[in-house]
């Protein structure tokens, strides 16, 4: 039995060593083989150096260093692609995903008929209020408009069987939204909740604009409802226009045609123009992603790794 830990790291130099020691002490109680795949996602601090130090004393520590920052999604994909364990866990480097949960997760996966044990936060303690607010709105919205279930508060911290990992790897789309991919591939998943813990050191890598872009990626990757919405709006506006036309024709026939109403005409033109741009905007968001997918650019480029025969561009 071997467990692979996939750990995306971006500017986590201060957390690497603590994470390693905490995880090792947990793993030693499990008496299983392990590998830790740490992905240095274009860090500008001493993250890679810290990982290399660990790998020089522990050959189970593997590192993959990207040529630049490709984002957490790419880092997780690289880790999953190179994992060799029977079970694979994804864990943050900032200790917000407590390694102490691993034994319980292993036990559930071993003894029950599950392919995945996933975690969710029972609260958002310590998070900025504005971020919590938008996160809650996002989950409400996406679950209304998407067929794939995306669980509110779900972390990327999860332990999966090799079968599930292979299914995830087979989804090689460029715009990756793992929270949706995990749900889309299915498999029997057991959820466990835990209290949110604050970062061990450093700041969250996500700004509000990045989170907004990520949310948009999620919606567009896992729902076609915005496109439907723009079609429905088009139909609604056409019906409205026909109704207004009839009213104007009838009122002109009855009362004649006094020349007035230029203000309302201007309003209507601006309103309809805005609506058209809005719908065009929705369509463009989908086209932009189609454009990126068709270019088939690699998800990541590796410039340094201690894994033999690693595929450097993927
Ligand atoms: N991360 C990464 N690349 C990035 C941003 C983040 O590999 O471009 C890693 C980061 O090092 C951490 C995990 O993803 O291990 C989660 O990031 P963070 O703690 O900033 O996110 P939050 O917990 O605030 O959602
Ligand atoms: Mg974090």
């Amino acid at each position: 039995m071997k467990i692979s830990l996939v750990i995306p790291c971006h500017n986590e130099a201060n957390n690497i060593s603590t994470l390693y020691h905490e995880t090792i002490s947990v793993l030693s109680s499990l008496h299983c083989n392990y590998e830790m795949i740490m992905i240095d996602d274009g860090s500008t601090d001493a993250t890679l150096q810290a990982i290399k130090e660990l790998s020089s004393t522990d050959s189970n520590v593997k590192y993959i260093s990207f040529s630049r920052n490709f984002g957490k999604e790419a880092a997780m994909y690289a880790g999953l692609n190179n994992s060799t364990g029977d079970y694979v866990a994804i864990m943050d480097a900032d200790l917000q995903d407590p390694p102490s949960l691993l034994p319980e997760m292993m036990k559930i996966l071993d003894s029950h008929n599950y392919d995945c044990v996933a975690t969710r936060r029972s609260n958002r303690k310590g998070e900025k209020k504005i971020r919590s607010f938008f996160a809650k709105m996002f989950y409400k919205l996406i679950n209304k408009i998407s067929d794939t279930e995306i669980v509110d508060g779900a972390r990327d911290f999860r332990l999966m069987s090799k079968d599930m990992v292979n299914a995830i790897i087979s989804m090689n789309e460029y715009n990756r939204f793992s929270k949706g991919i995990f749900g889309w591939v299915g498999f029997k998943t057991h959820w466990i909740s835990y209290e949110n813990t604050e970062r061990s050191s450093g700041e969250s890598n996500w700004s509000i604009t990045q989170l907004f872009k990520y949310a948009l990626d999620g919606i567009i990757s896992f729902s076609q409802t915005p496109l439907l919405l723009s079609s429905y709006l088009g139909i609604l506006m056409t019906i409205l226009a026909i109704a207004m036309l009839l009213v104007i024709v009838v009122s002109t026939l009855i009362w004649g045609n006094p020349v007035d109403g230029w203000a309302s005409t201007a309003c209507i033109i601006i309103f309809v123009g805005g609506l058209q741009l809005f719908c065009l905007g929705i369509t463009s968001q989908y086209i932009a992603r189609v454009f990126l997918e068709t270019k088939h650019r690699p998800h990541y480029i590796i410039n340094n790794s201690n894994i033999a025969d690693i595929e450097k561009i993927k």
Side-chain angles (χ1 to χ4, degrees), residues 238-250:
T238 313
I239 293 171
L240 213 69
I242 293 170
M244 277 164 73
L245 190 83
L246 286 177
V247 169
I248 290 167
V249 168
V250 171

Side-chain angles (χ1 to χ4, degrees), residues 64-82:
I64 296 173
S65 178
F66 285 172
S67 62
R68 65 168 168 85
N69 178 252
F70 281 90
K72 186 185 177 187
E73 289 290 339
M76 289 194 289
Y77 191 50
L80 295 179
N81 269 322
N82 291 287

Side-chain angles (χ1 to χ4, degrees), residues 158-176:
R158 51 175 64 224
L159 185 68
M160 295 172 282
S161 67
K162 192 75 198 158
D163 283 345
M164 183 164 175
V165 171
N166 287 337
I168 292 169
I169 293 171
S170 76
M171 293 178 74
N172 61 352
E173 57 216 66
Y174 187 78
N175 294 290
R176 296 187 75 74

